[in-house]
Amino acid sequence: MHARVRAGEPEAFRELFQAHAGLVHGYAARATGDPSLAEDVVSLTFLEAWRLRGRLRDEGESPRPWLMGIAVNVLRNTTRAKRRYERAMARLPAPAVVPDFADELVGRAADAERLAAAKRGLAALTGGERQAFMLHVWSGLSYEETARALGVRVGTVRSRLSRARARLRRLTDAELGGEPVASSGQPSCDRRQWAVRPSEETIR
């Protein structure tokens, strides 16, 4: 498939997209807290992957590090563009009438809360720690794949993950000193599980 992708065969690239679009979307959605923006990141990532298809390595290696390396750069640029857009919009006068989207948002409340908790946790990390944590823990890449995606050594990935886990542990210990209660009167979701154990891997 790698050779077919490099040759520009559309069907092979479609197979690549179908196999890995979910991985890129999950990474972007957790990073941004915005599913719509995550869809844009997926589109831009695969457009860039098509442009750079000649750099895809041989069959012996998974395409995941290559794709996720592209996704990291696309997400960085997209986030910067979003911040510039938000700053520009903030300078505009407020609209006379604000539409009520309450009904639409009710079904998304739980996901939004989890994403917000994840963003708070990620904000406590440095850029390198955040990328290593998201690729290895959330996206399931191995240490070696994460290192290739970020263009660093495996030892660097391990040290970044160690620091990230320590920071997240301190953050969630402070945040979860008491059990938060949701507005409905029921206990809210366990933020420790979301922020520190977002995948099957447990922070040790």
Side-chain angles (χ1 to χ4, degrees), residues 33-86:
D34 185 338
S36 297
L37 182 59
E39 292 175 4
D40 292 340
V41 171
V42 172
S43 298
L44 291 170
T45 295
F46 280 91
L47 282 173
E48 187 69 0
W50 175 258
R51 188 178 72 84
L52 300 174
R53 62 189 181 275
R55 300 183 186 179
L56 180 60
R57 296 185 180 183
D58 293 333
E59 292 284 353
E61 295 187 1
S62 168
R64 298 197 308 171
W66 177 70
L67 277 174
M68 296 307 289
I70 295 173
V72 167
N73 291 327
V74 167
L75 180 61
R76 183 186 301 116
N77 294 334
T78 303
T79 302
R80 289 173 180 167
K82 182 185 178 185
R83 284 198 296 266
R84 289 195 295 268
Y85 172 79
E86 289 173 344

Side-chain angles (χ1 to χ4, degrees), residues 92-102 105:
L92 297 177
V97 178
V98 179
D100 184 3
F101 296 110
L105 294 176

Side-chain angles (χ1 to χ4, degrees), residues 14 21 39 44 46 57 59 61-62 66 68 83 99 115 120 122 125 132 146 153 158 171 175 183 192:
R14 187 176 299 112
E39 292 175 4
L44 291 170
F46 280 91
R57 296 185 180 183
E59 292 284 353
E61 295 187 1
S62 168
W66 177 70
M68 296 307 289
R83 284 198 296 266
L115 287 171
R120 287 195 297 272
L122 291 173
L125 308 180
T146 301
R153 297 179 179 178
R158 291 181 181 274
L171 176 71
E175 185 172 343
S183 58
R192 180 189 297 272

Side-chain angles (χ1 to χ4, degrees), residues 6 8-9 29 31 46 62 69 71 75 104 144 147 150 173 186:
R6 287 195 298 271
E9 184 179 322
F46 280 91
S62 168
L75 180 61
E104 179 183 354
E144 291 77 12
L150 297 178
D173 283 347
Q186 298 297 324

Side-chain angles (χ1 to χ4, degrees), residues 93 181 198:
V181 177

